[in-house]
Amino acid sequence: MMDVGGNGSGLPVNNKQRAMIPNKSRGEFARNPRKDSEGLSESPDLEFGYADTDKWAAELSELYSYTEGPEFALNRKCFEEEFRTHVSDKKWTELDAAQHRAHAMRLLDSLEVIAREKRLKVARAILYMAQGTFAECSSEAEVQHWMRYNIFLLLDVGTFSALVELLNMEIENSAACSSAVRKPAISLADSTDLRVLLNIMYLMVETIQQDDPADRPEWKIIRETFRTELGSSLLNNEPVSVMLFGMVTKFCSGHAPHFPMKKVLLLLWKSIMFTLGGFEELQSIKVCKREELGLPPLPEDSIRVIRSMRAASPPASASDLIEQQQKRARREHKALIKQDNLDAFNEKDPYKADDSREDEDDNDDNDNSIETETFPLERDEVMPPQIPHPPSERVSFPKGLPWAPKVREKDIENFLESSRSKFIGYTLGSDTDTVVGLPRPIHESIKTLKQHKYVSIAETQIAKEEEFQKTPLSGGEEEVEMCATELLYQGILPSLPQYMIALLKILLAAAPTSKAKTDSINILADVLPEEMPTTVLQSMKLGVDVNRHKEIIVKAISAILLLLLKHFKLNHIYQFEYMAQHLVFANCIPLILKFFNQNIMSYITAKNSISVLDFPYCVVHELPELTAESLEAGDNNQFCWRNLFSCINLLRILNKLTKWKHSRTMMLVVFKSAPILKRALKVKQAMMQLYVLKLLKVQTKYLGRQWRKSNMKTMSAIYQKVRHRLNDDWAYGNDLDARPWDFQAEECALRANIERFNGRRYDKSHSNPDFLPVDNCLQSVLGQRVDLPEDFQMNYDIWLEREVFSKPISWEELLQ
């Protein structure tokens, strides 16, 4: 059904492996506490703090699969063998700084040996150092302290650049690639060398990118230097992220099925986040960029507004509907309703009088998510203190909306054009100042619109690009700031379509709604053990591990795509449009909708983790004996942080792809996204609900009057939570239903603009020769240094004899 970039993808494993991996679709080892039939209206708010990453310990633990557990002891053994050979019987934590540095240098020198086995042992010893020499630590805080100290030490002696070289060598290892291609089933053992290198690199990037106020001054300098090197071409003649993108495409092409893709994607995500900046930095970059362009400041800090928003009550399930209808029938004889009763408040719509029609809810969605509660309103957030009064007078209004309304210049022009046509009968094009002949209310409207006019960075960049295209000679040279985002874009530009297709293929394979196919990519290379489990307990553990593995891959890809889209949009709008268009061409929109076409509450509350096996807990505590009951019980968390993070990221990506794009909005309508998105509103988390409501808002006018009538509470939620565009008739289908939907024409026009931008800025070889400067001065032309080939210089005497001395020259004719 789903095809990303031309090929479907799922999870191939042989029959023996598939038999031993628990399948949630068959109900095996299901550990989700909530069933579909339960009423979700009573679910508590999810105390979720959206951030760049999860807590430090969680981010470290997700690097390792549970199958890799025995390797912690192996790393320690390799380190201690090397340590005892060169150092006395002292512990690592007892040595001074000079001895630490000397041993780190010794290990680095040993990495350059030819023998693969010896090199792997040294790499494991370095990995043990990066893991905080945990055998000498008694707590997780102590492990964290020594990890940070050891990693800065390793970075200072030049370990990272050596690791990049080794990783390059492993990527080009054709023997390992051809061996993996021929194998019927790939396991952990096939990727040992790669996993060790990627583990060290990930631990270094993840630890150093966390800014600790207690860091020494020299560490802060090392951190900034490393950040610059990671995002530039100093380490590998290209940013490290470009090399990792190359690994992703090589894996998806089938030439390197043994690549540990989860680790590659995690390292790629953290490298992009460290070099380009996270969401907080994006906001500050946006503020600075607006100042540089002379634009007014942002009306509000969007991060702060979203964090202060409260979750809305989600739609109830069908069983709730029946129960509440029975309660309402029993109460019909009562004339008055207690207004301070929260249940009564939830059952009534405060925007209209008591009406028997309010029971008519989402009856055309066929998605069993019929709304019966007031969807968006939180009592203490919206409603003023109430005095009991009859239901007919029960009307209230919000105290204030969270977002300042915005208006585009184009919207003001359209409003004036329609007003002039209506009242005067002529138009003035893009003139927004002349209001002669228009009635006073129109003057007031224009004044209000101009007060809320918002000029985006993208609009300014588009206008500048149009100027460059119109006046290539007089426009002058464009000054391009060579920031980390620009360097990354230049690095991935030649192969960006292949990178996007590869990421979406892996995302499809990791999605819980995907079915395994025999001809699709196998993303389980770095989780399946050599020997498949033989007991029920081992099978349960592997089942948890496989599901967790897929969830982490979804988390990494969703974060990578969102960060790249946001950074490219700030750097230049056409860089963003280029990436977004290739995501759309690779079927990203239906893929994300397919991802959400599941029981999303079950996905968010899934408990695919075994906390006692998570690093660093597992290396500093005695492990209890695992039982089937303890595995089935899972942890006590209300929700799974990574899954909620992934869902929000995917919704944000969908918003980015469809915003202001009529043809892509119509794709949401055509793929019947409304019932899928409405089911996602059951998750009581304000940020997730906001992005779902945004997606519903853009397509509301195309869903028909009956849908709007049946979903008035969702419409109220959109009004309350989503930013207003003052003259946007999103809630009504005013003559826009007849607007033609020409996907190809819109995308082709956008593609032409993108190609002109990329050609002008990056493709210097094909620039128009008519626009190139010509040097007509004889002296400067003859004075230019010309590099002659080496063989010409060696045979210069022969050339002189043949071409100069032996030929008669008429100097008089030459001078004339």
Side-chain angles (χ1 to χ4, degrees):
M1 174 186 170
M2 173 63 57
D3 185 14
V4 176
N7 289 312
S9 49
L11 301 175
V13 286
N14 61 27
N15 291 333
K16 182 183 174 187
Q17 290 173 333
R18 190 177 287 117
M20 295 307 297
I21 298 174
N23 186 340
K24 282 201 166 186
S25 63
R26 295 196 297 261
E28 297 176 61
F29 314 136
R31 298 184 298 139
N32 296 324
R34 197 181 301 277
K35 293 178 181 168
D36 294 355
S37 60
E38 287 184 16
L40 295 171
S41 58
E42 296 177 9
S43 60
D45 285 13
L46 303 182
E47 297 297 326
F48 172 79
Y50 185 82
D52 292 323
T53 60
D54 200 351
K55 294 185 181 73
W56 170 80
E59 292 296 336
L60 289 189
S61 69
E62 288 180 356
L63 175 64
Y64 310 102
S65 60
Y66 297 140
T67 321
E68 291 178 271
E71 294 189 15
F72 291 124
L74 185 56
N75 299 339
R76 175 187 171 184
K77 182 184 172 189
C78 291
F79 174 82
E80 287 175 351
E81 284 177 7
E82 288 282 330
F83 191 61
R84 290 202 185 103
T85 308
H86 300 101
V87 188
S88 63
D89 292 337
K90 283 186 177 181
K91 291 182 176 180
W92 172 260
T93 51
E94 294 170 355
L95 300 182
D96 59 28
Q99 290 171 307
H100 283 152
R101 188 177 182 84
H103 190 64
M105 294 283 284
R106 204 176 294 116
L107 287 174
L108 186 59
D109 290 340
S110 304
L111 261 186
E112 297 179 7
V113 297
I114 298 172
R116 177 178 288 274
E117 288 299 319
K118 171 68 175 167
R119 200 166 61 231
L120 179 60
K121 285 185 75 174
V122 174
R124 284 197 180 280
I126 293 173
L127 176 56
Y128 177 71
M129 278 182 68
Q131 288 170 340
T133 51
F134 50 78
E136 299 171 28
C137 302
S138 56
S139 67
E140 291 180 42
E142 205 176 336
V143 171
Q144 184 177 5
H145 166 77
W146 281 104
M147 272 187 75
R148 199 162 183 81
Y149 174 83
N150 293 345
I151 282 170
F152 272 103
L153 173 65
L154 289 169
L155 184 63
D156 196 26
V157 299
T159 309
F160 197 85
S161 53
L163 293 170
V164 170
E165 288 177 22
L166 284 174
L167 184 60
N168 248 330
M169 200 168 71
E170 289 297 331
I171 293 168
E172 301 301 326
N173 186 349
S174 55
C177 292
S178 55
S179 168
V181 168
R182 287 194 301 270
K183 277 195 172 183
I186 297 169
S187 67
L188 272 175
D190 298 296
S191 60
T192 304
D193 291 17
L194 278 166
R195 282 187 296 105
V196 171
L197 295 174
L198 289 166
N199 282 347
I200 305 169
M201 292 171 76
Y202 177 86
L203 290 175
M204 292 181 79
V205 173
E206 170 62 18
T207 304
I208 293 165
Q209 64 111 1
Q210 294 193 357
D211 193 6
D212 190 343
D215 280 349
R216 306 170 189 176
E218 60 267 27
W219 284 9
K220 292 182 179 178
I221 296 167
I222 291 170
R223 181 177 185 270
E224 287 309 310
T225 307
F226 179 56
R227 182 176 182 166
T228 307
E229 288 177 353
L230 199 63
S232 67
S233 307
L234 297 175
L235 287 171
N236 192 40
N237 300 323
E238 62 184 4
V240 171
S241 302
V242 177
M243 179 179 71
L244 296 170
F245 267 120
M247 290 183 76
V248 174
T249 48
K250 193 171 182 182
F251 171 79
C252 284
S253 66
H255 298 311
H258 65 299
F259 280 2
M261 208 28 57
K262 183 188 81 174
K263 295 181 192 296
V264 172
L265 291 168
L266 285 173
L267 178 57
L268 176 57
W269 168 33
K270 294 302 169 68
S271 300
I272 291 171
M273 190 172 70
F274 184 35
T275 52
L276 272 56
F279 299 120
E280 295 279 357
E281 272 185 78
L282 270 163
Q283 189 70 12
S284 57
I285 293 169
K286 190 174 184 178
V287 170
C288 295
K289 203 119 187 169
R290 290 187 68 82
E291 280 181 19
E292 286 171 17
L293 295 170
L295 298 173
L298 294 165
E300 70 275 295
D301 184 342
S302 56
I303 295 174
R304 198 170 296 165
V305 172
I306 291 172
R307 282 178 181 164
S308 65
M309 290 177 89
R310 300 185 56 184
S313 302
S317 64
S319 59
D320 284 346
L321 175 67
I322 295 165
E323 186 182 335
Q324 289 178 8
Q325 282 178 335
Q326 289 171 347
K327 286 180 182 176
R328 192 176 291 125
R330 288 196 295 270
R331 286 199 300 264
E332 273 179 354
H333 66 280
K334 296 182 181 179
L336 296 174
I337 298 174
K338 285 186 179 179
Q339 292 302 306
D340 58 350
N341 185 314
L342 189 59
D343 293 332
F345 169 73
N346 279 339
E347 286 166 10
K348 300 290 180 181
D349 191 339
Y351 284 106
K352 60 182 179 180
D354 194 20
D355 192 338
S356 61
R357 287 176 302 170
E358 77 178 9
D359 290 348
E360 294 176 18
D361 214 301
D362 191 12
N363 51 15
D364 59 336
D365 270 357
N366 298 323
D367 64 346
N368 293 328
S369 61
I370 303 174
E371 300 176 2
T372 57
E373 299 181 300
T374 302
F375 178 66
L377 304 178
E378 294 289 343
R379 181 171 191 170
D380 54 352
E381 177 188 29
V382 174
M383 303 291 288
Q386 295 184 2
I387 301 166
H389 53 268
S392 59
E393 297 175 15
R394 195 165 176 268
V395 178
S396 178
F397 298 97
K399 287 178 182 175
L401 300 169
W403 304 99
K406 285 181 182 177
V407 182
R408 294 182 298 170
E409 180 76 24
K410 188 179 172 185
D411 297 330
I412 299 174
E413 288 174 15
N414 291 341
F415 177 74
L416 268 169
E417 287 295 278
S418 61
S419 299
R420 285 169 185 150
S421 299
K422 183 177 178 181
F423 292 105
I424 304 172
Y426 69 87
T427 58
L428 292 175
S430 58
D431 180 358
T432 57
D433 297 320
T434 306
V435 291
V436 177
L438 295 174
R440 174 69 59 185
I442 299 295
H443 290 209
E444 294 295 325
S445 299
I446 294 163
K447 183 182 174 184
T448 306
L449 289 173
K450 285 186 175 179
Q451 280 175 351
H452 293 93
K453 187 172 86 167
Y454 176 80
V455 181
S456 66
I457 294 170
E459 288 171 304
T460 312
Q461 290 170 340
I462 289 170
K464 281 188 177 180
E465 183 59 27
E466 285 173 357
E467 281 298 312
F468 278 121
Q469 297 291 351
K470 282 179 189 173
T471 57
L473 290 174
S474 60
E477 280 292 314
E478 183 186 13
E479 291 182 16
V480 180
E481 184 190 352
M482 297 308 289
C483 58
T485 309
E486 183 65 34
L487 289 169
L488 179 60
Y489 183 76
Q490 290 182 17
I492 67 173
L493 177 61
S495 305
L496 188 138
Q498 291 91 323
Y499 296 153
M500 295 304 107
I501 289 170
L503 286 176
L504 293 183
K505 275 187 175 182
I506 299 170
L507 180 62
L508 176 60
T513 50
S514 293
K515 301 291 184 289
K517 296 178 183 176
T518 52
D519 60 340
S520 53
I521 55 175
N522 177 14
I523 57 169
L524 304 179
D526 51 336
V527 69
L528 295 178
E530 279 187 279
E531 309 250 336
M532 292 308 287
T534 53
T535 66
V536 172
L537 184 63
Q538 288 174 343
S539 297
M540 287 179 72
K541 182 182 163 187
L542 182 59
V544 171
D545 209 359
V546 165
N547 289 328
R548 173 178 176 266
H549 182 81
K550 292 181 190 175
E551 290 171 2
I552 295 166
I553 286 176
V554 172
K555 172 187 174 182
I557 292 177
S558 67
I560 289 166
L561 292 176
L562 181 61
L563 275 175
L564 286 178
L565 286 170
K566 288 186 77 67
H567 277 286
F568 286 158
K569 190 170 184 179
L570 271 184
N571 199 49
H572 200 288
I573 183 63
Y574 283 132
Q575 295 177 350
F576 161 81
E577 295 290 8
Y578 186 54
M579 178 180 167
Q581 191 166 64
H582 280 291
L583 285 173
V584 172
F585 290 164
N587 281 339
C588 185
I589 292 175
L591 170 54
I592 294 175
L593 292 175
K594 180 182 179 183
F595 179 90
F596 279 97
N597 194 20
Q598 59 170 314
N599 184 342
I600 208 70
M601 274 304 294
S602 292
Y603 185 71
I604 281 167
T605 55
K607 296 183 181 295
N608 291 312
S609 60
I610 307 167
S611 54
V612 293
L613 298 181
D614 285 340
F615 180 88
Y617 183 92
C618 64
V619 294
V620 292
H621 294 91
E622 285 292 324
L623 295 186
E625 187 180 349
L626 288 175
T627 62
E629 290 73 25
S630 64
L631 283 182
E632 206 165 330
D635 53 34
N636 296 320
N637 293 332
Q638 185 189 16
F639 57 88
C640 176
W641 195 95
R642 65 173 164 265
N643 288 356
L644 191 44
F645 177 76
S646 302
C647 288
I648 291 173
N649 287 345
L650 291 171
L651 287 167
R652 295 182 75 180
I653 291 165
L654 205 50
N655 269 288
K656 291 247 171 262
L657 296 181
T658 54
K659 190 175 183 181
W660 303 120
K661 302 286 189 301
H662 173 66
S663 57
R664 297 178 193 174
T665 302
M666 292 306 294
M667 284 177 75
L668 292 177
V669 179
V670 168
F671 290 125
K672 295 184 170 57
S673 65
I676 295 170
L677 293 169
K678 271 200 64 189
R679 280 200 294 274
L681 288 172
K682 292 178 180 178
V683 181
K684 285 195 74 175
Q685 204 284 322
M687 191 172 187
M688 182 164 169
Q689 288 180 344
L690 172 68
Y691 288 108
V692 171
L693 292 170
K694 278 186 173 187
L695 288 165
L696 285 169
K697 178 184 175 180
V698 294
Q699 54 178 314
T700 298
K701 64 180 100 176
Y702 307 112
L703 294 174
R705 189 180 171 198
Q706 183 57 42
W707 189 93
R708 295 196 291 273
K709 183 181 173 184
S710 302
N711 292 275
M712 282 310 294
K713 299 181 184 91
T714 304
M715 304 281 281
S716 299
I718 294 170
Y719 176 82
Q720 253 208 315
K721 302 281 184 189
V722 183
R723 188 191 300 279
H724 287 266
R725 300 276 170 174
L726 288 183
N727 50 354
D728 177 19
D729 57 347
W730 63 270
Y732 317 98
N734 292 346
D735 75 6
L736 273 163
D737 290 335
R739 184 176 167 186
W741 176 37
D742 192 345
F743 176 83
Q744 202 167 3
E746 284 188 36
E747 294 296 340
C748 283
L750 178 60
R751 190 172 190 173
N753 289 334
I754 295 166
E755 285 176 353
R756 279 196 291 269
F757 164 76
N758 283 335
R760 180 189 65 79
R761 191 188 270 197
Y762 303 111
D763 194 3
K764 301 299 181 186
S765 60
H766 292 90
S767 53
N768 192 329
D770 296 336
F771 295 151
L772 294 176
V774 178
D775 191 352
N776 293 317
C777 178
L778 186 65
Q779 283 184 329
S780 66
V781 170
L782 292 174
Q784 285 177 3
R785 178 178 174 80
V786 179
D787 291 323
L788 300 169
E790 195 175 335
D791 57 342
F792 179 84
Q793 293 177 30
M794 290 172 65
N795 300 303
Y796 181 58
D797 295 338
I798 300 168
W799 181 84
L800 271 178
E801 185 63 39
R802 189 181 67 222
E803 299 292 335
V804 181
F805 299 143
S806 63
K807 289 190 176 180
I809 298 172
S810 175
W811 294 103
E812 288 78 8
E813 288 182 22
L814 186 64
L815 289 171
Q816 285 174 5

